[in-house]
Amino acid sequence: MGIENTLAPWLGRTSKMIDNHVQELFCEKDICLTKIQWVFLKKVQEQNGVPQQELAFLTGRDKTSLTRLVNTMEKKNLVARIPSKLDKRINNIYITKKGALLYNETLPIIEKFVVGLQENISSEEITQTIRVIKKIQENLQTKIN
């Protein structure tokens, strides 16, 4: 069979290519943001005031790497970490005005990228690919748990 004829290297290479391309698109516009930072910003924009622990789950990151990401985003003044009024041990993450402006500036860039990414791929192929990727994710979840 050979490892090259399995899904893992193709998924890995494709993911890396997407990361690099998004980085290039942002750099062209002088936007200092990685794809991971953009995904994080998107999640906070969608669920403003989300507990930091929940963000770890939503972004698929462990607590340590999420804490580093929150610190970075706070230094850039894109999000604010505010302790919960009910439980001071819980930090809620809020998007700042600067973060919301940056998200709104970058969303059209990402949307255009996604459209180009799916060029020459039928809706049936997209649906099937999503189904396969979901199965891979389920397989990974059962291996982890």
Side-chain angles (χ1 to χ4, degrees):
M1 179 183 207
I3 194 99
E4 285 302 310
N5 294 320
T6 66
L7 293 173
W10 292 97
L11 290 170
R13 268 193 299 265
T14 303
S15 179
K16 190 69 178 157
M17 289 171 73
I18 288 170
D19 289 354
N20 291 340
H21 198 77
V22 168
Q23 192 71 53
E24 286 174 20
L25 290 171
F26 285 162
C27 284
E28 286 171 9
K29 306 268 186 207
D30 289 324
I31 297 169
C32 290
L33 210 57
T34 65
K35 188 190 85 168
I36 289 164
Q37 290 171 348
W38 186 86
V39 169
F40 174 84
L41 201 59
K42 177 182 182 290
K43 295 295 182 191
V44 177
Q45 171 74 17
E46 291 170 350
Q47 297 184 33
N48 204 19
V50 65
Q52 187 168 330
Q53 276 185 290
E54 196 175 319
L55 262 175
F57 172 75
L58 290 173
T59 58
R61 305 188 71 74
D62 61 64
K63 286 182 182 181
T64 305
S65 66
L66 182 76
T67 299
R68 277 195 307 269
L69 183 56
V70 171
N71 290 341
T72 299
M73 299 300 274
E74 246 185 340
K75 284 178 191 160
K76 291 182 176 195
N77 193 28
L78 301 174
V79 300
R81 186 182 346 214
I82 300 171
S84 167
K85 289 177 181 162
L86 301 173
D87 185 345
K88 298 291 182 207
R89 296 171 297 174
I90 297 173
N91 287 313
N92 295 325
I93 309 300
Y94 292 87
I95 195 162
T96 62
K97 190 173 259 182
K98 181 180 177 184
L101 288 170
L102 184 61
Y103 175 77
N104 290 331
E105 179 186 348
T106 54
L107 183 59
I109 296 168
I110 294 294
E111 288 173 337
K112 183 178 178 186
F113 168 70
V114 170
V115 168
L117 189 70
Q118 297 182 163
E119 209 169 275
N120 302 318
I121 302 172
S122 72
S123 58
E124 293 82 21
E125 288 173 312
I126 291 168
T127 302
Q128 180 63 23
T129 302
I130 291 169
R131 244 193 317 267
V132 170
I133 291 171
K134 282 181 178 179
K135 285 182 181 181
I136 292 168
Q137 291 174 354
E138 288 169 15
N139 290 343
L140 287 168
Q141 285 298 329
T142 58
K143 302 290 185 248
I144 293 167
N145 297 330

